[in-house]
Amino acid sequence: MLATAQTVSQSESPSSPRWGLGLGLMVKDSPYAGEGTKTTALPLIRYEGELFYFRGLTAGAHLMHSKGFSLDAIASLRTDGISAKDFGVQELARNGINRSLLEDRDNGLDLGVAASWRGAAGEFEVTAKADVTGASEGFELSARYGYGFQVGRGRLTPSISVSHLSKDMANYYYGTLNEEVARGVVDYKPGAATIPKLGLTYVHPIGQHWQFMTALQYKVLPKKITNSPLLKAGTNGEGSVMFGLSRSF
């Protein structure tokens, strides 16, 4: 979501490098039992060069790039992790789990490729990336379609996307680990999972160099994930909103 909010006017390679620096605030309603609403301050860093770019939590290198098409090698941070101490003791106990028996779920670094098409009909992007840190040892395939239009001086972009998590990735973040099961934790592994997402991004210029941005996203979690004993009861999805202010150079 952060990379999407910072992706503006990228249908052509810039004639000179462009920088953007700012600060954002992410508020997420965590689906994990007892974690509640999670608020995180985020640096908004954007660099657009002829060959390389950096957008939020994603860095990329253009393998092919033209006005309407781009094929990139990418590296992106995965922030789906949670420390075991951030689970709620009582909430987990109601699910039959002793928090002291759990391990942390680490964040990770993904490497992969992304292909995007942009034109009058909107923008379409497909991405394939895999964890290279040994956290989940899984991979994710995703596709996203968005259509942006002007609202006053700003640009509003509704989007729809779908992500497919491999069984290793889904089991790591939403299931119980083998070492936890050996300690007596219930054995639950959801297996490969497909997660639809709805998004809405708005970018509004302020003067010549500043811009305000906000991005909303809602993930519709499938039942095999919402049935996980690590998630709070009655969870159907995961919502988040990001606000940010940045300056271009």
Side-chain angles (χ1 to χ4, degrees):
M1 181 172 70
L2 180 58
T4 301
Q6 296 193 85
T7 304
V8 288
S9 302
Q10 293 162 9
S11 59
E12 299 184 31
S13 296
S15 56
S16 61
R18 297 189 303 237
W19 283 92
L21 297 174
L23 184 65
L25 188 68
M26 175 83 76
V27 181
K28 180 171 71 172
D29 181 21
S30 173
Y32 287 118
E35 188 177 33
T37 300
K38 184 177 180 180
T39 302
T40 307
L42 299 169
L44 300 180
I45 303 173
R46 179 170 58 90
Y47 170 76
E48 296 293 334
E50 291 190 12
L51 297 178
F52 301 99
Y53 63 83
F54 188 86
R55 303 168 190 159
L57 303 180
T58 300
H62 296 307
L63 303 177
M64 297 176 59
H65 193 69
S66 63
K67 183 176 181 179
F69 174 76
S70 184
L71 176 65
D72 307 325
I74 60 169
S76 63
L77 293 177
R78 181 172 294 275
T79 59
D80 297 328
I82 179 173
S83 173
K85 64 180 178 59
D86 290 334
F87 285 100
V89 174
Q90 295 181 353
E91 289 84 355
L92 281 181
R94 285 196 287 269
N95 293 345
I97 291 182
N98 183 339
R99 188 181 73 175
S100 65
L101 302 180
L102 293 183
E103 298 281 335
D104 295 342
R105 268 58 176 179
D106 295 329
N107 295 325
L109 175 67
D110 295 341
L111 296 182
V113 293
S116 60
W117 296 262
R118 292 182 174 88
E123 54 188 36
F124 179 70
E125 181 179 50
V126 292
T127 303
K129 55 187 181 179
D131 172 40
V132 295
T133 58
S136 71
E137 299 182 344
F139 65 86
E140 177 182 5
L141 306 175
S142 62
R144 174 186 173 273
Y145 171 75
Y147 184 83
F149 53 92
Q150 293 297 123
V151 177
R153 295 184 59 231
R155 188 166 183 83
L156 184 68
T157 306
S159 64
I160 184 170
S161 59
V162 61
S163 293
H164 178 78
L165 305 183
S166 71
K167 67 176 183 179
D168 288 335
M169 185 166 287
N171 289 347
Y172 181 75
Y173 288 111
Y174 298 107
T176 53
L177 307 179
N178 290 335
E179 53 265 46
E180 296 169 341
V181 175
R183 298 178 193 135
V185 175
V186 61
D187 187 4
Y188 188 85
K189 293 179 174 57
T194 299
I195 301 175
K197 305 174 188 177
L198 299 174
L200 187 66
T201 301
Y202 179 69
V203 179
H204 185 84
I206 303 173
Q208 290 186 333
H209 300 290
W210 290 88
Q211 66 178 10
F212 168 79
M213 62 190 74
T214 184
L216 294 85
Q217 180 177 265
Y218 186 77
K219 298 180 181 180
V220 182
L221 299 177
K223 190 166 289 293
K224 61 168 65 178
I225 286 180
T226 60
N227 285 341
S228 169
L230 299 181
L231 270 59
K232 59 187 177 184
T235 296
N236 293 312
E238 176 185 328
S240 60
V241 59
M242 190 278 289
F243 303 96
L245 185 67
S246 69
R247 189 183 191 281
S248 59
F249 298 90

